[in-house]
Amino acid sequence: MVLRLLLRYLANNEQLIERMAESYPMRRAAQIVVSMTYRFKNIAQERGLHDMSPERFKSFMEYFRNNLKQEIEGAKQELKKKP
């Protein structure tokens, strides 16, 4: 409850928000987000993912998740093998 009140106060403090928005880390984070958005959009268009049906997208994400899990497990096995 106290945390919620504190966050609400900070979010409504216009001067604090202005100073944070002008800070280098915030500007850089925004630049990175925009850059990644455009990169992913271009990749999706190149691979034809932007016109996928919901079912095909769901199966693609499932395949991606399984592949990611396998890679993580493989990396764990490699780390265990190293002395």
Side-chain angles (χ1 to χ4, degrees), residues 11-55:
N12 290 326
N13 188 338
E14 188 175 338
Q15 291 175 336
L16 175 66
I17 299 299
E18 188 70 30
R19 286 182 65 195
M20 287 177 62
E22 292 174 357
S23 70
Y24 177 76
M26 288 294 199
R27 286 193 327 255
R28 186 66 183 140
Q31 289 172 348
I32 290 170
V33 168
V34 170
S35 173
M36 296 299 284
T37 301
Y38 281 115
R39 284 185 192 172
F40 289 141
K41 183 179 177 182
N42 289 337
I43 290 171
Q45 288 177 347
E46 288 173 3
R47 296 187 181 185
L49 301 176
H50 65 285
D51 58 351
M52 266 190 188
S53 68
E55 294 82 20

Side-chain angles (χ1 to χ4, degrees), residues 62-78:
E62 186 68 30
Y63 173 76
F64 179 78
R65 186 174 0 147
N66 289 337
N67 193 13
L68 184 62
K69 284 182 184 178
Q70 289 175 356
E71 291 295 325
I72 290 172
E73 289 300 320
K76 285 181 183 178
Q77 293 297 330
E78 280 186 32

